[in-house]
Amino acid sequence: MEFEDFYESARDACLRAVVAATGDRHLADDLVAEAFTRAWLSWRTVGRHPAPRAWVVRVALNTRVSWWRRRRHEVALTGHGADQPAEPGEPDVDPALLAALRRLPKRQREVVALRVFLDLDTEATAKTLGIAPGTVTAHLSRAVAALRGDLATVTSQEENR
């Protein structure tokens, strides 16, 4: 497969996965762009990877950690939209679901992003995250339970209005 074909077929799924993991559409755009740039530069290797979409998402999430480490000493400007949630309707992920995903622990968000948004199996998710398959299953189970409870609460609050 050529890189252009891979990019066209994988970009939206990777973006949804990274938005789900980060909860921030603008940050996810930057991270996915960086990850696809790295994939393009290493396409001979990435193209042979058993799960290149997972490779892109993992690179995007690792890049986020690297950016955070470099920027953790910066002072945030308040009142300039820095704490604004992701824009509703982008990228086809329900805003209530995004809000619920943001409340999950980081590892649970990553597991949901890879298992649900990229539709990877447990083994591929475990390999991508560097954890045991049983740990993936446990994180996914906890995340789904938390999301169900969170979304049920939101739904009942909306019905009471």
Side-chain angles (χ1 to χ4, degrees), residues 36 41 43 54 57-58 65 81 85 117 123 135 156:
F36 271 108
L41 292 171
W43 184 242
V57 171
R58 183 76 253 159
V65 171
F117 287 89
E123 293 292 326
T135 305
S156 68

Side-chain angles (χ1 to χ4, degrees), residues 64-84:
R64 177 184 185 209
V65 171
S66 298
W67 285 1
W68 175 82
R69 284 181 181 146
R70 284 192 303 268
R71 292 183 175 100
R72 68 180 166 201
H73 299 292
E74 293 178 2
V75 176
L77 296 175
T78 58
H80 293 290
D83 294 330
Q84 296 297 318

Side-chain angles (χ1 to χ4, degrees), residues 56-115:
V56 169
V57 171
R58 183 76 253 159
V59 167
L61 296 176
N62 287 346
T63 300
R64 177 184 185 209
V65 171
S66 298
W67 285 1
W68 175 82
R69 284 181 181 146
R70 284 192 303 268
R71 292 183 175 100
R72 68 180 166 201
H73 299 292
E74 293 178 2
V75 176
L77 296 175
T78 58
H80 293 290
D83 294 330
Q84 296 297 318
E87 295 176 18
E90 290 185 56
D92 297 333
V93 178
D94 183 84
L97 177 59
L98 275 179
L101 285 166
R102 278 189 214 105
R103 290 187 281 276
L104 292 176
K106 176 186 172 210
R107 185 60 82 184
Q108 289 180 13
R109 284 194 314 268
E110 291 174 345
V111 167
V112 168
L114 294 173
R115 288 283 287 127

Side-chain angles (χ1 to χ4, degrees), residues 12-156:
D12 290 342
C14 291
L15 181 59
R16 279 191 298 274
V18 175
V19 168
T22 64
D24 183 328
R25 166 61 192 238
H26 299 294
L27 175 61
D29 276 331
D30 291 344
L31 295 172
V32 169
E34 176 71 21
F36 271 108
T37 300
R38 291 180 186 186
W40 179 71
L41 292 171
S42 303
W43 184 242
R44 290 179 63 158
T45 303
V46 175
R48 292 189 306 264
H49 191 277
R53 292 184 314 164
W55 186 95
V56 169
V57 171
R58 183 76 253 159
V59 167
L61 296 176
N62 287 346
T63 300
R64 177 184 185 209
V65 171
S66 298
W67 285 1
W68 175 82
R69 284 181 181 146
R70 284 192 303 268
R71 292 183 175 100
R72 68 180 166 201
H73 299 292
E74 293 178 2
V75 176
L77 296 175
T78 58
H80 293 290
D83 294 330
Q84 296 297 318
E87 295 176 18
E90 290 185 56
D92 297 333
V93 178
D94 183 84
L97 177 59
L98 275 179
L101 285 166
R102 278 189 214 105
R103 290 187 281 276
L104 292 176
K106 176 186 172 210
R107 185 60 82 184
Q108 289 180 13
R109 284 194 314 268
E110 291 174 345
V111 167
V112 168
L114 294 173
R115 288 283 287 127
V116 176
F117 287 89
L118 283 187
D119 198 27
L120 294 182
D121 62 21
T122 301
E123 293 292 326
T125 301
K127 188 173 183 179
T128 300
L129 295 176
I131 59 179
T135 305
V136 169
T137 304
H139 281 305
L140 184 60
S141 176
R142 290 182 191 120
V144 168
L147 289 171
R148 278 187 184 139
D150 200 350
L151 293 173
T153 302
V154 169
T155 302
S156 68

